[in-house]
Amino acid sequence: MPEPEAIGSDVEATAGSTKHGPGRVLITVYAILAIGSTARALFELATKFDQAPVPYLLSTFAAVVYCVITVALVKDTPGWRRVAFVGMVVELVGVLVVGTWSLVHPETFQNTVTHKGVHSVWFWFGLDYLFVPLVLPILGLNFLRRTRRAREI
Amino acid sequence: MTTAPLLASTWPVTSVGVVVTVLSLLLALVTGVLAALNRTITRWVLALVALLEVALLVLTGQLVVAWAGGNAPEQPVVLLAYLLVVLVAAPGTVWWGAAEPGRWGTGVVCVACLLIPVLLVRLQQVWDVAAAVTGHA
């Protein structure tokens, strides 16, 4: 068991940290998405990339973004905090653009041979992940904003 | 089943799957309440996690037996990846959450316990993909 480093002082001692407090849960959810999307993207690239290059490359991009954010939150330094912020902005824009595009231009998300629909991580704003990808960057950016303020006080 | 199974892939762990789902959701409820009360991970949580892991190991054992007996999953690599995550999710988050006092450490375990039933559904889908996607080349 890790030592109880901050018992009773989880507000003061961990204020501004990205890996304590709510950050602990945030990292957990990001890590789950990072593992899930990375495994998915590797599988898609390795076994059927030719069948739907665009959706599978978009999955890969999402996977990289989730991995970067997870690492940045765990690293928990001012520099990595900026990386996490940029990563979450990219994530939010990505899920909104890809999600909208998948609704407006479904023909982009098709198997080139069978013309059947093909999903991607951010397809329909993260349908395959119960829309967590749509909510997570909003919660993440809000968390960074609040803890930055806590750090300044 | 009175006749020999025509489909190679039929999910062989229905009842253990239900046990795992119920245990996991119970743990999610317990950790959710503890998190709401701002409590650290308790012995009860550890005991329930141990119980959940036993159920998951039984499930894994039954999958292996079915696999060895010729009832093979359609996508073995994907199945093994999901199985690995399902097995490490609860102990992994207990380790990650134990370092954090208060509600957020307990909340981390809650997240894993909400994830496990979802992963179980995905496991079944991956195992049964031959039944779902006929004519898959």
Side-chain angles (χ1 to χ4, degrees), chain A residues 40-110:
Chain A
R40 172 192 185 138
L42 287 177
F43 177 73
E44 289 173 344
L45 293 182
T47 63
K48 48 188 179 179
F49 175 67
D50 295 343
Q51 294 175 24
V54 175
Y56 296 155
L57 282 176
L58 286 171
S59 286
T60 309
F61 178 72
V64 171
V65 170
Y66 287 128
C67 289
V68 168
I69 295 173
T70 306
V71 171
L73 291 174
V74 172
K75 290 280 186 181
D76 196 17
T77 65
W80 281 106
R81 187 188 182 83
R82 244 166 278 140
V83 173
F85 174 77
V86 173
M88 286 172 189
V89 172
V90 171
E91 180 198 355
L92 182 59
V93 172
V95 72
L96 289 176
V97 168
V98 174
T100 308
W101 191 266
S102 65
L103 286 171
V104 179
H105 292 283
E107 72 277 6
T108 309
F109 294 81
Q110 264 181 9

Side-chain angles (χ1 to χ4, degrees), chain A residues 7-152:
Chain A
I7 281 181
S9 60
D10 58 322
V11 178
E12 299 84 7
T14 61
S17 169
T18 56
K19 69 173 175 184
H20 291 287
R24 206 79 175 172
V25 176
L26 206 56
I27 288 173
T28 309
V29 181
Y30 268 114
I32 290 166
L33 278 180
I35 293 167
S37 59
T38 303
R40 172 192 185 138
L42 287 177
F43 177 73
E44 289 173 344
L45 293 182
T47 63
K48 48 188 179 179
F49 175 67
D50 295 343
Q51 294 175 24
V54 175
Y56 296 155
L57 282 176
L58 286 171
S59 286
T60 309
F61 178 72
V64 171
V65 170
Y66 287 128
C67 289
V68 168
I69 295 173
T70 306
V71 171
L73 291 174
V74 172
K75 290 280 186 181
D76 196 17
T77 65
W80 281 106
R81 187 188 182 83
R82 244 166 278 140
V83 173
F85 174 77
V86 173
M88 286 172 189
V89 172
V90 171
E91 180 198 355
L92 182 59
V93 172
V95 72
L96 289 176
V97 168
V98 174
T100 308
W101 191 266
S102 65
L103 286 171
V104 179
H105 292 283
E107 72 277 6
T108 309
F109 294 81
Q110 264 181 9
N111 186 310
T112 50
V113 182
T114 63
H115 297 288
K116 280 185 175 176
V118 172
H119 288 198
S120 183
V121 172
W122 287 335
F123 179 85
W124 283 21
F125 306 104
L127 173 72
D128 294 355
Y129 300 87
L130 307 173
F131 301 104
V132 171
L134 182 60
V135 184
L136 194 57
I138 299 167
L139 295 177
L141 287 168
N142 187 46
F143 166 75
L144 287 183
R145 192 175 58 85
R146 281 194 300 112
T147 49
R148 182 173 51 92
R149 203 176 285 165
R151 170 181 280 179
E152 281 162 6

